[in-house]
Amino acid sequence: MGDACRPDSFDGFVGQERPKKVLEILCKAAKRKGSCPPHVLLSGPPGLGKTTLARIVANEMQSRLVEVVASNLQSPDEMAKHLLRLKERDVLFIDEIHGLPRGVEEVLYAASKTGESPWSSPVTTTCSRGSASGRSSPRSRWPSCPPSPASARRP
């Protein structure tokens, strides 16, 4: 979908009412406190609007969105390079996070868990299906976005 067709606010986003409301509340609370929303994981099949929601969060927070596809990150050094380039309040969106190699995943997890990362921005990630490797991870405890009626009809 072209950027011109994507909504840039929560009001313009149709569907996914529950995840949308949670993100809207997180953004409003962060703005009031003068901080960033917490790290967020959006999970579900393709076509639910996860990328669009990440763009909306960045727009609502008046932040820059940095999009990365997990399969393009093959080494911990590549992940570290992306993390070090982030500026304060940037939103890092990692698409298809289940495709991260273990070493890369550990760099991201350590940076977000310890709070000693060089950025103070939310990390918005997606996972269209379970872990490709079948290993358990902290991601498995997060709820999924329910399928929308439109995506449920797709083959």
Side-chain angles (χ1 to χ4, degrees), residues 87-116:
K87 297 178 175 114
E88 191 169 334
R89 298 195 182 277
D90 280 354
V91 174
L92 175 63
F93 178 76
I94 304 174
D95 200 11
E96 301 295 327
I97 196 167
H98 63 274
L100 280 179
R102 172 60 66 107
V104 176
E105 182 179 300
E106 289 175 5
V107 169
L108 177 63
Y109 183 67
S112 62
K113 183 177 180 179
T114 64
E116 295 175 10

Side-chain angles (χ1 to χ4, degrees), residues 9-101:
S9 69
F10 290 115
D11 289 338
F13 186 86
V14 178
Q16 299 302 338
E17 294 305 318
R18 187 171 175 205
K20 179 173 76 169
K21 189 66 175 170
V22 169
L23 290 171
E24 193 171 11
I25 290 168
L26 289 173
C27 287
K28 284 181 182 177
K31 283 181 187 177
R32 266 190 238 127
K33 292 190 308 186
S35 66
C36 297
H39 302 290
V40 176
L41 176 69
L42 302 173
S43 176
L48 295 180
K50 298 177 298 286
T51 303
T52 301
L53 284 170
R55 290 177 179 186
I56 290 171
V57 167
N59 187 54
E60 291 285 326
M61 297 306 298
Q62 299 176 335
S63 302
R64 182 177 70 131
L65 179 70
V66 178
E67 294 183 65
V68 178
V69 177
S71 61
N72 292 340
L73 300 171
Q74 295 303 311
S75 74
D77 289 343
E78 290 174 17
M79 182 78 251
K81 206 181 302 182
H82 280 283
L83 294 175
L84 291 170
R85 287 185 189 147
L86 292 174
K87 297 178 175 114
E88 191 169 334
R89 298 195 182 277
D90 280 354
V91 174
L92 175 63
F93 178 76
I94 304 174
D95 200 11
E96 301 295 327
I97 196 167
H98 63 274
L100 280 179

